[in-house]
Amino acid sequence: MSEHASICIGIDLGGTNIAAGAVTAGGRIVARNKIKTKAELGEKVVLERVAKAARSLLDDEAVKSEKVVGMGVGAPGPVDIHTGVLATAVNLGWGRVPLADRLSAALKLPVIADNDVNVGTWGEFKAGAGKGQRDMMGIFVGTGIGAALVLDGRLFHGAAMSAGEIGHTVIASDAGVGRRTLENLASRTAIVNRLTALIQSNRPSLLTELTEGNLAKIRSRILAQAWEKKDPLTVEVLSEAAHHIGIAIANAVTLLSLPCVVIGGGLAEALDDRWHDLVQASFDDVVFPPERRTCKIRPSRLGDDAGIIGAALLAHQHLAVEKAAPAGLAQAAS
Amino acid sequence: MSEHASICIGIDLGGTNIAAGAVTAGGRIVARNKIKTKAELGEKVVLERVAKAARSLLDDEAVKSEKVVGMGVGAPGPVDIHTGVLATAVNLGWGRVPLADRLSAALKLPVIADNDVNVGTWGEFKAGAGKGQRDMMGIFVGTGIGAALVLDGRLFHGAAMSAGEIGHTVIASDAGVGRRTLENLASRTAIVNRLTALIQSNRPSLLTELTEGNLAKIRSRILAQAWEKKDPLTVEVLSEAAHHIGIAIANAVTLLSLPCVVIGGGLAEALDDRWHDLVQASFDDVVFPPERRTCKIRPSRLGDDAGIIGAALLAHQHLAVEKAAPAGLAQAAS
């Protein structure tokens, strides 16, 4: 069986976009497609749009539709991987949605669903910066901070299926309630709030000019511009964030003796090596010393594609296991 | 095959004592024995004393020696579980020692060796407070603070085999270098240092009387006495320690979505429910909210026996796996 013998579709379902890809078992994208989510139109319409994005790939010249054997979906919220039910998705304004069953019925394909951070981490593990490792943590720094764990070659979900919530770990126990956790110290949201407060208290910053005075316009790209131009206030706040991210990663590596950590997400991907070196330096400073030699923090290699590749490779993986012992994936009604 | 059909010997090798037990596959101790380690006499003598402790069990009336099938050893340092080599043991003044091979040759028994914290956690998981769980962390608070993880029903060692070093995680990043990590904030060593400094700076404390003015005599039992009598200084320092321990446990549970944490060790076992309730309250305050409902912190059930029971049950487990696929345990030369 060649690498191309079967294809799975991977869906990265986000608050803004639905990204879809047709992916080989080796992690190669043979066709892709991206449409707006239009979350404001509600759950039914969004699910139709996901199915539409998938169907357009089935119709794609580059994809022999008879070779498409399944689909994986990464969703922005907690997912019960056994039932494929999404518990809630704040970004989408959704409550409980039986995501895998709905999409499986619409597309007549087996569908597996998992949380988007788990799916992106799986992509990096199987086909990106974590390839060849046995254990790995993926950490994604954006509006929030999430992580996922691959242990002994498998995604580790934990008892309540919420493993990886590194953003909620406390690294500054003596700080006030709003400044104790990693997410409150180093997410893009926290960084922008802090910069805005400092600028409003009359600290000068290039950000005022870059946003034409409207600080609500600060995004990762603008932060990266101010960082590259060495705006002192931006350097100060982003350096603090790197320091805290390095500590949180070190804590996870110290606890789990991890050989590999991959860092991605909008903010981390927008920033240059100088910033990543600060994360590494903070990590090296506090990690349990023997791990300093064995664990390396690597930038994500798949970037925005981690979600669709990871979702598709999860489906490939589950279908391979299914063959041996059928159970687990939502099956199309026959 | 009845539960008594086979017995393994479990050894808890500590800096002060060698505790040995003959243990059924169900975790019941049928004979036990404890001798001084005499670490000052060096590695060769200590290993002979371990073998002597084991042999006295083989000779015990309660143990039919022909039923003894293997031995497990918990050692106070990092152990390569595949080779049974102890890398170093500060308490014993040892460098690298091929522990499993040496003891296997001396006793003509298959021997498995692991770190003492891993072994104690395995005991609690199989036969103590973690029985029936799938995932668990054991945390032991004494002169240092160590932990071990059972994930998906197996001890998780990690890439460098040092998983569980929770004492080295940072929870107060803004504090000075000597006050950032859990061990520097909440081990018995840290607690005694802090109390001694405060008393020497003229804070009154019942500890002065309990130790007859010699603060070097503070041990867990004396701390527990001062705590029970509500000595304000002791209450202040032990409450802070409980606060920090609760945070570190919460971080692990938030990261791993653990359903169960067992707390033991000399200090934790000496202190009463009032102290354990403070740990739980701190945990509840900061853990990722969904885990608050699912994860309970339980006091250790096996106490001092966790090491010998865990070591013996590890040997039972490995021998059962061996039967299916031989590999891994040090075998006596035949």
Side-chain angles (χ1 to χ4, degrees):
Chain A
M1 208 159 72
S2 84
E3 192 217 44
H4 300 175
S6 69
I7 278 174
C8 283
I9 291 173
I11 299 282
D12 183 358
L13 171 56
T16 309
N17 293 306
I18 296 165
V23 181
T24 67
R28 196 167 58 83
I29 299 177
V30 297
R32 64 164 77 232
N33 158 9
K34 193 178 199 171
I35 61 177
K36 290 280 169 208
T37 306
K38 301 198 175 170
E40 68 282 6
L41 301 180
E43 169 193 325
K44 190 159 175 288
V45 173
V46 170
L47 287 178
E48 277 164 12
R49 295 180 66 76
V50 171
K52 181 181 150 187
R55 276 194 207 99
S56 84
L57 290 175
L58 297 177
D59 293 341
D60 192 297
E61 267 305 301
V63 184
K64 308 265 185 309
S65 69
E66 69 271 29
K67 286 186 176 172
V68 176
V69 294
M71 184 164 97
V73 185
V79 174
D80 182 320
I81 55 155
H82 302 302
T83 60
V85 172
L86 173 66
T88 172
V90 177
N91 278 355
L92 299 171
W94 290 5
R96 183 184 177 283
V97 177
L99 194 59
D101 281 344
R102 292 274 182 85
L103 291 170
S104 184
L107 291 161
K108 313 287 180 216
L109 276 176
V111 174
I112 179 102
D114 202 338
N115 169 264
D116 52 4
V117 178
N118 289 342
V119 157
T121 296
W122 188 248
E124 290 290 345
F125 177 72
K126 294 296 280 185
K131 202 170 170 178
Q133 300 291 326
R134 184 181 163 88
D135 306 320
M136 180 191 125
M137 180 170 78
I139 176 168
F140 296 86
V141 184
T143 53
I145 300 183
L149 295 162
V150 179
L151 303 178
D152 285 339
R154 293 185 305 165
L155 275 171
F156 182 83
H157 291 88
M161 291 200 198
S162 68
E165 287 289 356
I166 199 169
H168 294 266
T169 60
V170 169
I171 56 174
S173 60
D174 299 337
V177 166
R179 297 263 302 157
R180 292 191 305 201
T181 65
L182 179 63
E183 196 158 280
N184 285 342
L185 287 164
S187 65
R188 199 184 71 196
T189 309
I191 290 165
V192 169
N193 288 346
R194 186 148 178 80
L195 283 166
T196 303
L198 289 167
I199 292 168
Q200 284 169 351
S201 70
N202 292 320
R203 290 282 301 272
S205 169
L206 191 58
L207 289 166
T208 309
E209 182 189 316
L210 290 172
T211 58
E212 295 159 326
N214 179 5
L215 297 174
K217 282 164 66 180
I218 301 179
R219 292 290 178 276
S220 295
R221 199 176 41 79
I222 288 177
L223 286 172
Q225 283 168 20
W227 168 262
E228 276 154 33
K229 293 186 173 158
K230 304 195 176 173
D231 170 54
L233 195 68
T234 304
V235 168
E236 176 185 322
V237 172
L238 282 176
S239 298
E240 276 175 25
H243 172 69
H244 289 125
I245 292 167
I247 289 173
I249 294 174
N251 281 354
V253 169
T254 295
L255 189 67
L256 291 163
S257 188
L258 295 169
C260 175
V261 174
V262 175
I263 184 167
L267 182 60
E269 285 163 33
L271 293 167
D272 59 14
D273 284 354
R274 188 161 50 91
W275 186 80
H276 285 264
D277 289 348
L278 290 181
V279 175
Q280 183 76 45
S282 167
F283 170 84
D284 286 345
D285 182 37
V286 303
V287 74
F288 185 56
E291 307 297 346
R292 204 178 295 147
R293 293 188 298 270
T294 48
C295 181
K296 185 84 189 132
I297 304 175
R298 305 161 192 224
S300 112
R301 199 187 291 162
L302 304 182
D304 282 348
D305 288 340
I308 55 179
I309 292 174
L313 291 181
L314 262 189
H316 275 292
Q317 166 104 354
H318 279 253
L319 287 166
V321 173
E322 284 287 290
K323 269 189 190 167
L329 264 78
Q331 296 287 344
S334 57
Chain B
M1 209 158 68
S2 85
E3 194 217 41
H4 300 176
S6 69
I7 279 174
C8 283
I9 291 172
I11 299 283
D12 184 356
L13 170 55
T16 309
N17 294 306
I18 296 165
V23 181
T24 67
R28 195 166 59 82
I29 299 176
V30 297
R32 64 165 74 232
N33 163 6
K34 194 178 197 170
I35 59 177
K36 291 280 169 208
T37 304
K38 302 198 175 169
E40 67 281 8
L41 301 181
E43 171 192 325
K44 189 158 175 289
V45 173
V46 170
L47 288 177
E48 277 163 12
R49 295 179 66 76
V50 171
K52 181 181 150 187
R55 275 193 208 102
S56 84
L57 291 175
L58 297 177
D59 293 340
D60 193 298
E61 266 306 299
V63 184
K64 308 264 184 310
S65 68
E66 68 271 28
K67 285 186 180 174
V68 176
V69 294
M71 183 165 96
V73 184
V79 174
D80 181 321
I81 54 154
H82 302 302
T83 61
V85 172
L86 173 65
T88 172
V90 177
N91 279 355
L92 299 171
W94 290 5
R96 182 182 178 284
V97 176
L99 195 59
D101 281 344
R102 293 274 182 85
L103 291 169
S104 184
L107 290 161
K108 312 288 180 216
L109 275 176
V111 174
I112 179 104
D114 203 339
N115 169 266
D116 52 3
V117 178
N118 290 342
V119 157
T121 296
W122 188 249
E124 290 290 346
F125 176 72
K126 294 296 280 186
K131 202 172 169 177
Q133 301 291 325
R134 183 183 164 86
D135 306 321
M136 180 192 125
M137 180 169 77
I139 175 168
F140 296 85
V141 183
T143 54
I145 301 183
L149 295 162
V150 178
L151 303 178
D152 285 339
R154 292 186 303 166
L155 276 172
F156 182 82
H157 291 88
M161 292 200 197
S162 68
E165 287 289 355
I166 199 168
H168 294 266
T169 60
V170 170
I171 56 174
S173 60
D174 299 337
V177 166
R179 297 263 301 155
R180 293 191 303 201
T181 65
L182 179 63
E183 197 157 277
N184 285 342
L185 288 163
S187 65
R188 199 185 71 196
T189 310
I191 289 166
V192 170
N193 288 346
R194 187 149 177 81
L195 283 166
T196 303
L198 289 167
I199 292 168
Q200 283 170 352
S201 70
N202 293 320
R203 291 279 302 271
S205 170
L206 190 58
L207 289 166
T208 309
E209 182 189 318
L210 290 172
T211 58
E212 295 160 324
N214 179 5
L215 297 174
K217 283 163 66 180
I218 301 179
R219 292 290 177 277
S220 295
R221 199 177 40 81
I222 288 177
L223 286 172
Q225 283 170 20
W227 168 262
E228 276 155 33
K229 292 184 174 161
K230 303 197 177 172
D231 169 54
L233 195 68
T234 304
V235 168
E236 176 186 321
V237 172
L238 282 176
S239 298
E240 275 175 26
H243 172 69
H244 289 124
I245 291 167
I247 289 174
I249 293 174
N251 281 354
V253 169
T254 296
L255 188 67
L256 289 163
S257 188
L258 295 170
C260 175
V261 173
V262 174
I263 184 166
L267 182 60
E269 285 164 33
L271 293 167
D272 59 13
D273 284 354
R274 187 162 49 93
W275 185 80
H276 285 264
D277 288 348
L278 289 181
V279 175
Q280 182 76 45
S282 167
F283 170 85
D284 286 345
D285 182 38
V286 303
V287 74
F288 184 57
E291 308 295 347
R292 203 179 295 146
R293 292 188 299 270
T294 48
C295 181
K296 185 83 188 133
I297 304 174
R298 304 162 192 223
S300 110
R301 198 186 291 163
L302 305 182
D304 283 347
D305 288 340
I308 55 179
I309 293 175
L313 291 181
L314 261 188
H316 275 291
Q317 167 105 354
H318 279 255
L319 288 166
V321 173
E322 284 287 290
K323 270 190 191 168
L329 263 78
Q331 295 287 343
S334 58

